């Protein structure tokens, strides 16, 4: 169980108190951060709590900041500094901070990503605390209402655990990664995540998230792109989940039929009565008109776009990469997924395996393999071994 002393915290619900916290944090080299939020009924995540921990002269400080009572945009002053924000599974937190604070930290260290380079796969925070520190946090209510006030003592303790030990985990990960030469790999992966586009950044690309987008014909793709972009923008304006504005099935149904009037719109698959009348119908039909007059976007690429002569290599290389990931104690998803292998073999400009540490570890070897300079064989113990044939 966590030590109660490590979970002592201050509740911050006045602007003056928050300003003092930021003043204390700005000069520091690092701090731990987490957020609690909800987005089930909104397009943008609704921030409910910010947890921050840092090392002070008299021990660790830990605060729980109530964003319902204070203006959290002042955290932008902290994020603009050089201090490293230590965080676990940061992707959604970065989205939350972008929309609530107006920016994300200049530097992050994601302990989940780091865990993927030290044999943990894609670890939960509980797995890291247990494996690195021997701590087993008390289970909390995963579906708790973080927007409720006042929060219970149990909720506060649960929230405090999320940052109370992150700096200690960070210390251990740095100590392990440094001698292996992988710290730079982790830092690059964290920077890739930090600079990843946030939700809503590119409405014109929203159609690519449709499950059956690749099956659409050129004109259908153009209509799907326009209707999906309209849906994304309306969801942002009304702060409504995308699929509550217009279901995926309806976007695809409209893309296939390209209706010119409300009668045709009502006949498209997935379209219900509220979408086929009034202002909503007018907006959808206008999006269809835009799509019908637009140049069709390029179809999403997939395994079928790969040269037939290279398709058998995908399965073989995937098996070798999975084994290499186990041998190197790196999460396979970080090292190279099947999609990464296909992109590399296809020669995509943005193929992850063609650049940086992935190229050094696997990309160059795959190139040698498919160009006949290397081969794969079993080593007699059931493991694939890369052999130089040059």
């Amino acid at each position: 169980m966590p030590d109660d002393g490590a979970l002592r915290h201050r509740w911050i619900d006045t602007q003056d108190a928050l300003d003092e916290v930021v003043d204390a944090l700005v000069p520091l080299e690092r701090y731990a951060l987490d957020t609690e939020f909800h987005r089930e009924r909104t397009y943008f995540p609704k921030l409910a709590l910010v947890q921050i921990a840092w090392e002070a002269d008299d021990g660790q400080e830990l605060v729980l900041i109530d964003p319902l009572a204070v203006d959290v945009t002042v955290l932008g002053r902290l994020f603009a500094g050089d201090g490293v924000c230590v965080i676990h599974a940061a992707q959604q937190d970065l989205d939350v901070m972008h929309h609530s604070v107006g920016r994300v930290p200049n530097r992050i260290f994601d302990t989940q990503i780091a865990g993927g380079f030290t044999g943990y796969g894609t670890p939960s925070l509980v797995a890291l605390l247990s494996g690195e520190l021997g701590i087993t946090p008390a289970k909390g209510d995963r579906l708790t209402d973080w927007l409720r006030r006042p929060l219970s003592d149990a909720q506060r303790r649960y929230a405090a655990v999320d940052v109370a030990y992150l700096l200690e985990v960070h210390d251990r990960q740095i100590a392990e990664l440094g001698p292996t030469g992988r710290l730079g790999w982790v830092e690059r992966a964290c920077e890739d995540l930090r600079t990843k586009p946030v939700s809503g950044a590119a409405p014109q690309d929203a159609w690519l998230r449709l499950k059956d987008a690749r099956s659409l014909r050129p004109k259908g793709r153009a209509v799907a792109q326009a209707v999906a972009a309209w849906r994304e923008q309306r969801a942002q304006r009304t702060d409504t989940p995308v699929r509550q504005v217009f279901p995926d099935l309806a976007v695809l149904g409209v893309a296939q039929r390209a209706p010119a009037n409300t009668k045709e719109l009502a006949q498209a698959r997935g379209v219900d009565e509220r979408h086929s009348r009034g202002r909503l119908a007018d907006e959808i039909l206008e999006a269809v008109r835009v799509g019908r007059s637009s140049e069709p976007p390029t179809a999403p690429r997939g395994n079928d776009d790969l040269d037939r002569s290279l398709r058998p290599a995908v399965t073989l290389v995937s098996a070798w990469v999975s084994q290499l990931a186990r041998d190197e104690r790196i999460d396979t998803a970080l090292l190279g997924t099947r999609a990464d292998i296909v992109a590399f073999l296809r020669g995509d400009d943005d193929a992850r395996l063609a650049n940086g540490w992935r190229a050094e570890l696997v990309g160059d070897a795959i190139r040698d393999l498919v160009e006949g300079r290397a081969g794969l064989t079993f080593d007699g113990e059931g493991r694939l071994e890369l052999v130089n044939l040059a």
Side-chain angles (χ1 to χ4, degrees):
M1 294 289 291
D3 172 46
D4 286 343
L7 301 180
R8 293 195 184 105
H9 62 269
R10 288 186 288 141
W11 180 259
I12 304 297
D13 60 1
T14 69
Q15 204 64 41
D16 287 345
L18 179 56
D19 289 339
E20 289 178 7
V21 167
V22 174
D23 288 340
L25 288 168
V26 166
L28 300 182
E29 294 184 358
R30 64 175 185 168
Y31 55 93
L33 183 142
D34 188 48
T35 67
E36 306 296 344
F37 58 91
H38 295 290
R39 69 183 313 164
E40 296 85 2
R41 300 177 182 175
T42 59
Y43 179 88
F44 297 108
K46 188 169 182 60
L47 183 62
L49 193 67
V50 180
Q51 307 99 285
I52 302 180
W54 68 96
E55 295 159 332
D57 292 339
D58 55 350
Q60 178 168 275
E61 293 273 358
L62 197 160
V63 295
L64 305 182
I65 300 167
D66 183 2
L68 307 185
V70 298
D71 178 8
V72 294
T73 60
V74 299
L75 291 173
R77 186 156 58 91
L78 169 63
F79 296 167
D82 293 328
V84 176
C85 176
V86 180
I87 191 167
H88 184 83
Q91 184 166 342
Q92 292 192 75
D93 296 291
L94 293 173
D95 200 22
V96 172
M97 289 184 281
H98 174 81
H99 293 296
S100 301
V101 179
R103 65 172 299 149
V104 298
N106 276 347
R107 299 171 65 197
I108 70 166
F109 184 97
D110 190 324
T111 54
Q112 184 178 70
I113 289 177
F117 287 93
T118 57
Y120 278 96
T122 305
S124 66
L125 180 59
V126 171
L128 271 184
L129 294 183
S130 176
E132 294 296 316
L133 307 178
I135 292 172
T136 304
K139 292 184 179 180
D141 182 359
R142 188 173 58 86
L143 300 179
T144 192
D145 181 3
W146 291 107
L147 292 170
R148 186 188 69 181
R149 295 294 183 270
L151 294 179
S152 67
D153 289 343
Q155 285 177 307
R156 290 191 183 191
R157 282 176 54 84
Y158 182 81
V161 168
D162 287 342
V163 292
Y165 304 98
L166 277 184
L167 297 181
E168 191 173 350
V169 170
H170 182 228
D171 285 335
R172 293 190 176 226
Q173 290 180 325
I174 293 291
E176 183 172 356
L177 289 163
T180 67
R182 294 181 180 179
L183 181 56
W185 299 358
V186 172
E187 290 172 344
R188 285 193 288 274
C190 289
E191 181 62 10
D192 288 344
L193 176 59
R194 191 189 74 85
T195 56
K196 187 177 180 180
V198 296
S199 62
Q204 70 275 12
D205 293 333
W207 75 284
L208 294 170
R209 296 192 291 273
L210 296 170
K211 183 179 179 182
D212 297 318
R214 294 186 69 247
S215 66
L216 294 170
R217 295 182 177 181
K219 284 298 182 183
R221 293 200 300 270
V223 173
Q225 183 181 47
V227 173
W230 160 80
R231 179 179 72 164
E232 198 81 12
Q233 291 164 335
R234 183 177 178 85
Q236 292 176 33
R237 289 197 310 271
T238 60
D239 199 17
T240 304
V242 166
R243 286 173 178 79
Q244 288 185 23
V245 172
F246 205 48
D248 283 4
L249 181 61
V251 177
L252 291 167
V254 167
Q256 290 173 339
R257 293 185 65 93
N261 53 56
T262 54
K263 181 178 180 181
E264 293 178 0
L265 176 62
Q267 294 171 346
R269 188 177 182 188
V271 175
D272 61 33
E273 185 179 352
R274 69 187 176 96
H275 300 128
S276 59
R277 54 186 171 82
R279 182 175 178 179
L280 200 57
D282 292 340
E283 291 183 12
I284 296 168
L285 290 171
E286 175 59 27
V288 173
R289 284 190 285 272
V290 170
R292 293 176 69 173
S293 63
S294 300
E295 190 71 22
T298 303
R301 303 182 77 175
N303 290 3
D304 294 342
D305 301 312
L306 187 64
D307 188 286
R308 286 184 177 274
S309 65
L310 291 175
R311 290 179 191 174
V314 176
T315 300
L316 184 62
V317 170
S318 294
W320 176 67
V321 169
S322 295
Q323 179 184 284
L324 183 64
R326 291 191 297 272
D327 293 344
E328 296 288 338
R329 300 178 67 235
I330 298 176
D331 181 11
T332 304
L334 284 170
L335 181 56
T337 63
R338 188 180 182 88
D340 289 327
I341 294 167
V342 170
F344 178 81
L345 294 174
R346 198 167 50 205
D348 291 4
D349 292 337
D350 58 351
R352 293 202 307 170
L353 299 182
N355 299 288
W357 64 271
R358 292 184 181 89
E360 298 172 16
L361 199 55
V362 295
D364 294 341
I366 295 173
R367 186 174 287 110
D368 287 342
L369 182 66
V370 297
E371 292 178 1
R373 294 187 297 274
L376 287 173
T377 183
F378 284 104
D379 64 358
E381 297 179 359
R383 298 175 67 259
L384 284 169
E385 182 178 356
L386 190 73
V387 178
N388 190 346
L389 301 179

